[in-house]
Every structure is written in structure tokens, then in C-alpha cells.
Amino acid sequence: MEDDDDLEELRRLREMRAQRQQKQESASSTSTGYDTLPLSFGSSSSKKRRTPMQPESSSERSVSSSLSLDAERRQTNAAAVLAASSAHKRGVIGPQRGGGTSSSSSSSIEPQRASSTASSSPIGPAAPPPPPPPSQRNPSRSSSSASDSFIGPVPPSKRARSSAEDSEATDRQPSFSSMSDAYEAFCAEVPISHEVELRGHTRAVTALSFDHAGSRLVSGGADYMLRLWDFGGMDAGFRSFREMEACDGHKVVQLAYSASGGHFLCAPGSAQVKLYDREGHELREFVKGDPYLSDLRHTKGHTAAVTALQWDPQDRDQLLTGSVDGSLRLWNVEQERACLAVIKTRDARLKRAGVTAAAFSSDGKLMAAACLDGSLQLFAKGKAYSRPRLHAKQAHQQGSETSSVLFVGGDTQLVSRGGDDTLKVWDVRRFASPLCVFDELPNTYGQTDVEVSPDGNLLVTGTSVRPTAEHSGLLCFFDRRTLQRRHHIGVGAPGTSVVRVRWHPTINQVAVGASDSNLHLFYDPQQSRRGALLSVVRKVRVRNNMDFMSISEGQAYAPNALPLFRDQSARPTRRQFARDRMDPAKTRRPEPPVRGPGHKGRIGDSVQQSMMKDLVRKTLKDQDPLKAILSYAKEAAENPMYVSHAYAETQPTPIFAEEEEDDNKEAAENPM
């Protein structure tokens, strides 16, 4: 009976192990991955994001599986040792030492050793035996018989052992509470606890740029429109204060605010870059090159679409552009009629390699370019541009569009976001191979970029999904120091792809341009400052129909009347004020007068005044024409110049008829 009790105890251990394996398999099958992330359906109001569960990596799954196998082996070995020790004690201390007892004990030990060996084999645990009959499932009987035969402290019961084992297994495996704690700790570093949506575009948002102070944001999309957002003037409705079309038929590819915040550059997908002031007025347009010249050095500008744009971090008047025509160009803002330098990018066959992304280093000494042949080329500024200083020929898949490059880590590392669904980190000092490659990051947009956190420790990029997908794109965070993936969050509704990412260091807020035509702005009330926090606290003003019309008594409201018959004395309505503010011509600030000498074709005050004094013309507007003609009558009579002097001697004296005043007076005095 005692041997049967030991076998029953071993069977119960095996049943418990099988149940635990089933629970682990069910838990792993129901764990959330990329397809089951919680989705954030946006609205114009601020909201609290839910806590997503981060999927386990391959290393975590291998560690958890090895831990579970070790626990099973220890449990099986402990059961075998326990049974062997009980049999040994019964054979030594029992009242009989005959062969029957020893044979029975040895026969009960051998199956346990076999089961222990089978459970510790690398193939896997053996299948559990069939359950014992109901008569042998009485735990009180087995525990009482076992307690009678043991000497010393009673071993823990089955219920106590199972709870201890379950708690140990729970500690070894990541739980939902631990994931939630990890997410809360991550939110303490990254401002993603709250989100607002800025709506206005009708298609995907493909370009973003903050000004230096973080008070304004400019966005561009595939709808060809530019929108300017002012956080200081917006309420919780988040409406842009100005919109305009950058270039007809071309989506906006790149935007970049200047260091002072007074201007911003726009690459509208054409060959010409445009410069705007802070209010959105176009100042100048850079020249386009001659497409019929084969040598790019002889052209004044780009001949194909501009895909890369960035200001020089050291020289505020210079900028860098890259184009698919196979060239990088340096420009001066004041000289839009010709570029300063031309840098040719070539592939392995010394043919043109179109540029898809370009970037300056923080000190402005290096320029990185990503080309259509999958290569990365680094040029030193101010030196000969005949060949690149560093060249990685197969950095990404050939033919794919590398959408972004970025210098990080004190310009010692270069990060590239490829169209081959990868994110690679390169060491500039050892440029032959990447330091780390993050794969499985889908990218279907040519403007998907990578951004770095203000402290330089995190890298941020987005992923793309199909419009019919059941999940949304991800905003992924990577640790630059450990080269590991930290976390990710879903953005927008299902089928939304993440295109642009901007993380402003001053206000500590993350702006995301998505394919759902919305701007998603993430912030944290504890970590962020200004920016969206200025707008979310302002109540949206309720619109009233009477705000848009002011009709007084005795006034006819005729909006379609001709300008001649319109009543100009009526006060302008609120809608007219809003329309006038959106008109760049009416809100354009007049240019101040030039002080001193002339500049850029404008005449200065001193020169202008002197020229106006000399060029003042005498006009006849204030003279009487009859008096002007009669002033020459005496001179014409004394000195005739035309026909009269030829007949001066023979011409009779003209006799004019005189009025008979006397006859008229007599007729008036003596009426008939």
C-alpha cells in the first residue's frame, strides 16, 4: 500500500505538470503581439492612453521555456528522491529486514528512476500515465499512511507544494502586472501618456517641422497643402490659422524651420525649393537647372524632384538639398539664382545615383546621403567633392528608397531608415558594417523618418501597414546605448501608418504625421511644457449664427450685389475677419523703409530724396488754358512766324462787327 501511495503521489505530480504546461501554452497563444495592440481612436480632445502589452522577444521566450523545463526536472527529481528516501527508511527501520521488504522497495524505486531519467531527457517529458481508480484518490488515506511510516517532520502536503510551485513559476514568467509596471516606467521617460489630434489635411501628412521655441508647427501633406499651427492662439478645437498650396500637383516632401524661427523652407516635390516667412508668405523660389545639360556642375539648380532638405547647423544662411537627379547642392539663402557647390553621387558603375535622404552632422563638417542604389555616402564639407570620404555600397537593399538618415551620439553614429523594412545603426569610425540591425519594420512611405530623443538615448521611428489591416502602425522606441528595442505604441485607427516623427527638445512633445490625414501630438502634463498644454485648457467657443451676420434696421442684405451698389458702411462680420486673416495679401506686413544706402534694388532715403528733387516734373494741371494761350497773343502779333507775315503789307485791316448799343436802348425805352 505504501508503494502504491508513492506511485499515486508521482502520478499527481505528473498531472500537475501537464496542467501547468497547458496553462503556459494557452497563455502564450493569447499573448498580444503586433496584431492585437490596443488602438487609439483619436478625437480632438485630450485623452489617456491605455496600457499596451509588449510582445515577448525570442530571447525572452527561450529563457522562459528553459526555466519551465528546469522547474519540471527539479520537481520530478525531488519526487524520485522523496520516494527513494521513504523506501530506504522503511527497509532499514522497519520490523522486518527480509528479502520481501527489500525486494518490494527495490521494485518500487526502479520505475521512479526510469521516470526521472525520462523526464530529464532532452527530448521532453514523458506522457503522463492514466489516472488511478477512484478508490486510490483519497488524499486523507495516503497522507495518513505516509505519516505513519515517516520518521521526522512530515513533508509538505500536495496542496502546499502546488501553491509554492505555482508562485515560483509565476515569479519566473512575466505577468500583466509586470508589463503594466514596465509601461508606467517607460511613460515616466517618454511623454506619451496623453494624445491630441490636429485635423485639417485630407490626405497623408508627409512633412512636419517645429520652430525653435516650439510655439508653432508647420505641416504638409499629400493633398499639396501647407498648414500653420500656433499653439498660443489655438483653443481645444486645434484649428490651423493659415493654409496654402505649396505647388500645384506636387505633394509636400520636406519642411525645415530656420534656427531663428523667422523662416522655413519647403520642398514641394518639384525641382525648386521655396522660402517662406513666419506668417506663411512666400519670399523667394530657388532656381531650376537646365535639364538638357548632361553635366550637373554646369546647371544652376536641381533638374528633378528635391527629396532632402536641411539647414546648416553652423551657418544660418546656408542649406543642403538633395535630389533624384543624383546631386547634393549647397545654397545661400540670399542667392537663390545659383547654388554654391554641387556634389555628385554615383553608384558602383559611376552612374548617377539619386539621393533620397540627406543630413548634416551637428558640427556641419560631414554630409550624409542615402542613394537609390542602397548605398550610404559621407562627404566632408569644404573639401574636394569628387569622391565620398566614406562609402557603404550595400547599406540597404538596392532599389529600395532609404527614407531617412540621422547623425547621433556626438556625430560618431549614423542611423538610417531603409525601405527594406530595417533600421540600421552605423559607426562612422568603422563604416564597413552596421553595429545593429532592427528588422521587421515595414516601410511603404518614402518619407518615413527616424528621430532621436532630447537626451540622445532613444531612437524613434514608425511602421507602415496596409489600409485594410486590422491593426494600426506602430511608433517604435529603441535604446541607442544598449541597441535593444524598448517599447512601441499604436497610433490611430486600424490601417493607419506612421510617416513622420518629430520630438521637440524644448517642449518635450512628440508630433506624428500619419496616413489618416491627422497629426497626432503626444505629451505628458508632468514632463511637457507649453505646446499643446496651452491649447487643451482653452474651452472651444460655441459657434453662433448671429456671429457671422450683423443686419441692422433699414439695411438690405445683398451679398451678391455689384460692388457699386454694396453698402460699404456696414461693419465687417466675424467671418470676413477670418477670411481676411487667411488672405496672405491683406495680412502681409509692409516692408520698412531702407535706412542709409540702397539694398537689393531698393533705394535708400538719402539717394531717393536727392533724385526726387531733380526729377520733379512741372505739370499744367493748375493752369488756365485760356490765359496760357492769350499770354502769347501780343508776341504773335508783333512777330508772326507762320503765314501772317507773308501778307503783312497787302493784308487789309480786319474790321469786326460792333454791337449797336444805342438802337437796342431806344427800342427798350419806347416799346410799341
Side-chain angles (χ1 to χ4, degrees):
M1 293 297 295
E2 295 173 353
D3 298 338
D4 296 336
D5 295 338
D6 296 337
L7 290 175
E8 181 183 357
E9 188 71 20
L10 182 60
R11 291 191 188 98
R12 290 174 181 171
L13 290 173
R14 290 181 177 177
E15 291 177 2
M16 182 179 63
R17 183 184 60 193
Q19 294 176 1
R20 187 168 58 256
Q21 289 180 355
Q22 292 178 0
K23 291 181 181 179
Q24 293 176 358
E25 292 176 357
S26 63
S28 62
S29 62
T30 58
S31 62
T32 58
Y34 293 105
D35 298 338
T36 58
L37 285 172
L39 305 175
S40 59
F41 297 92
S43 65
S44 61
S45 61
S46 175
K47 58 187 177 181
K48 182 75 174 178
R49 296 186 57 84
R50 293 183 296 175
T51 304
M53 294 180 62
Q54 186 175 4
E56 296 181 353
S57 61
S58 59
S59 60
E60 292 175 350
R61 290 195 295 268
S62 61
V63 171
S64 61
S65 60
S66 62
L67 290 176
S68 60
L69 290 176
D70 294 341
E72 294 172 2
R73 292 174 184 175
R74 283 196 296 270
Q75 293 169 2
T76 308
N77 294 335
V81 172
L82 181 61
S85 62
S86 62
H88 177 70
K89 291 177 181 178
R90 287 194 301 272
V92 174
I93 306 176
Q96 295 180 359
R97 295 186 181 182
T101 304
S102 63
S103 63
S104 63
S105 63
S106 62
S107 62
S108 64
I109 293 174
E110 291 299 325
Q112 296 170 3
R113 291 179 179 176
S115 64
S116 174
T117 306
S119 63
S120 61
S121 61
I123 300 177
S135 60
Q136 299 181 6
R137 296 183 183 178
N138 189 2
S140 62
R141 180 180 177 183
S142 62
S143 60
S144 61
S145 61
S147 61
D148 296 338
S149 60
F150 276 99
I151 297 178
V154 181
S157 62
K158 175 183 177 182
R159 180 173 298 178
R161 186 183 301 112
S162 62
S163 61
E165 291 169 355
D166 292 341
S167 62
E168 182 181 1
T170 304
D171 295 339
R172 291 175 179 174
Q173 296 180 1
S175 62
F176 183 82
S177 61
S178 63
M179 291 182 181
S180 179
D181 296 340
Y183 177 75
E184 295 296 337
F186 181 74
C187 288
E189 302 178 11
V190 180
I192 57 174
S193 61
H194 292 69
E195 176 189 2
V196 293
E197 288 186 356
L198 280 65
R199 300 178 179 179
H201 289 280
T202 58
R203 300 183 66 182
V205 180
T206 56
L208 285 176
S209 181
F210 280 103
D211 66 345
H212 180 70
S215 60
R216 286 195 177 184
L217 174 68
V218 59
S219 62
D223 55 354
Y224 321 139
M225 301 300 294
L226 287 175
R227 285 185 174 270
L228 276 73
W229 315 80
D230 187 2
F231 295 109
M234 289 190 300
D235 54 13
F238 291 99
R239 298 184 182 91
S240 61
F241 73 90
R242 176 155 298 169
E243 61 175 331
M244 54 205 149
E245 188 173 9
C247 185
D248 186 16
H250 294 82
K251 69 178 181 180
V252 182
V253 177
Q254 189 71 271
L255 293 168
Y257 257 107
S258 62
S260 61
H263 306 84
F264 69 88
L265 292 167
C266 174
S270 62
Q272 295 176 275
V273 178
K274 295 184 178 182
L275 180 67
Y276 294 85
D277 63 1
R278 184 176 177 82
E279 300 299 328
H281 303 116
E282 182 179 343
L283 299 179
R284 60 179 59 91
E285 185 177 20
F286 292 85
V287 68
K288 180 181 178 180
D290 190 350
Y292 297 101
L293 296 178
S294 59
D295 192 356
L296 296 177
R297 296 183 185 275
H298 297 162
T299 59
K300 296 182 179 180
H302 289 290
T303 59
V306 177
T307 56
L309 178 67
Q310 187 177 1
W311 291 91
D312 192 331
Q314 299 298 327
D315 192 345
R316 295 186 176 184
D317 294 335
Q318 290 190 10
L319 60 133
L320 173 67
T321 59
S323 172
V324 293
D325 60 0
S327 67
L328 294 172
R329 293 178 184 267
L330 291 173
W331 301 79
N332 191 301
V333 179
E334 304 297 338
Q335 302 175 5
E336 70 274 10
R337 304 307 302 171
C339 61
L340 300 179
V342 181
I343 306 171
K344 296 182 180 179
T345 55
R346 302 183 181 275
D347 56 7
R349 299 181 179 180
L350 299 180
K351 295 183 178 180
R352 293 184 183 181
V355 178
T356 59
F360 264 118
S361 60
S362 60
D363 56 1
K365 296 181 179 180
L366 288 179
M367 297 174 290
C371 303
L372 284 173
D373 61 343
S375 64
L376 291 177
Q377 303 181 22
L378 270 67
F379 297 88
K381 184 181 177 182
K383 297 184 179 180
Y385 300 126
S386 59
R387 62 181 60 187
R389 181 177 179 182
L390 297 174
H391 192 184
K393 296 182 179 180
Q394 297 180 355
H396 290 276
Q397 183 179 356
Q398 186 176 4
S400 63
E401 188 172 356
T402 304
S403 55
S404 178
V405 289
L406 179 66
F407 283 94
V408 295
D411 299 336
T412 59
Q413 293 180 355
L414 180 69
V415 185
S416 60
R417 181 70 167 97
D420 53 358
D421 303 342
T422 61
L423 176 69
K424 297 185 179 182
V425 182
W426 305 79
D427 191 344
V428 178
R429 296 162 295 187
R430 295 182 294 272
F431 207 61
S433 60
L435 292 176
C436 182
V437 178
F438 299 99
D439 53 2
E440 298 182 358
L441 300 173
N443 182 12
T444 58
Y445 284 85
Q447 294 79 33
T448 304
D449 57 358
V450 59
E451 183 69 316
V452 63
S453 61
D455 57 1
N457 296 330
L458 292 178
L459 301 175
V460 190
T461 188
T463 62
S464 304
V465 295
R466 294 183 178 180
T468 58
E470 298 180 355
H471 57 279
S472 64
L474 303 178
L475 189 63
C476 303
F477 297 85
F478 304 90
D479 196 324
R480 186 188 61 82
R481 296 169 299 178
T482 61
L483 300 179
Q484 294 181 358
R485 185 168 182 165
R486 287 288 303 276
H487 220 285
H488 62 265
I489 58 175
V491 178
T496 301
S497 301
V498 179
V499 184
R500 285 289 184 184
V501 181
R502 286 292 179 269
W503 194 337
H504 197 277
T506 303
I507 62 177
N508 196 19
Q509 297 176 15
V510 182
V512 177
S515 62
D516 59 352
S517 71
N518 296 330
L519 277 82
H520 302 263
L521 190 61
F522 296 91
Y523 68 96
D524 190 337
Q526 303 298 330
Q527 304 179 39
S528 304
R529 48 181 301 193
R530 299 196 301 271
L533 297 177
L534 300 176
S535 303
V536 295
V537 297
R538 295 174 181 155
K539 185 182 299 185
V540 180
R541 188 177 184 274
V542 180
R543 292 187 178 183
N544 189 358
N545 294 332
M546 297 304 297
D547 294 341
F548 300 98
M549 60 179 65
S550 59
I551 304 176
S552 60
E553 296 182 0
Q555 177 182 353
Y557 181 68
N560 298 325
L562 296 175
L564 181 62
F565 303 100
R566 289 178 185 174
D567 188 3
Q568 302 295 337
S569 61
R571 294 181 59 188
T573 61
R574 190 180 299 273
R575 180 177 295 178
Q576 183 64 31
F577 278 124
R579 189 180 296 110
D580 292 343
R581 181 168 175 79
M582 298 293 291
D583 189 2
K586 292 183 179 180
T587 58
R588 181 178 178 83
R589 186 180 64 180
E591 297 181 356
V594 179
R595 302 297 181 185
H599 181 62
K600 295 183 179 178
R602 297 183 61 190
I603 302 175
D605 288 348
S606 58
V607 180
Q608 183 176 3
Q609 292 175 1
S610 61
M611 292 180 62
M612 291 301 295
K613 291 179 181 179
D614 298 336
L615 297 179
V616 171
R617 297 181 180 179
K618 297 181 180 180
T619 60
L620 302 177
K621 294 181 179 180
D622 300 334
Q623 297 181 4
D624 187 4
L626 180 59
K627 292 182 179 181
I629 295 175
L630 293 178
S631 61
Y632 297 96
K634 184 178 180 180
E635 183 180 357
E638 296 176 355
N639 186 16
M641 298 176 60
Y642 300 102
V643 181
S644 298
H645 68 281
Y647 305 94
E649 297 180 356
T650 59
Q651 184 70 16
T653 303
I655 301 175
F656 299 99
E658 297 181 356
E659 186 178 359
E660 298 179 355
E661 298 180 356
D662 298 338
D663 297 342
N664 294 335
K665 290 181 180 180
E666 293 178 357
E669 293 177 355
N670 300 319
M672 291 183 177

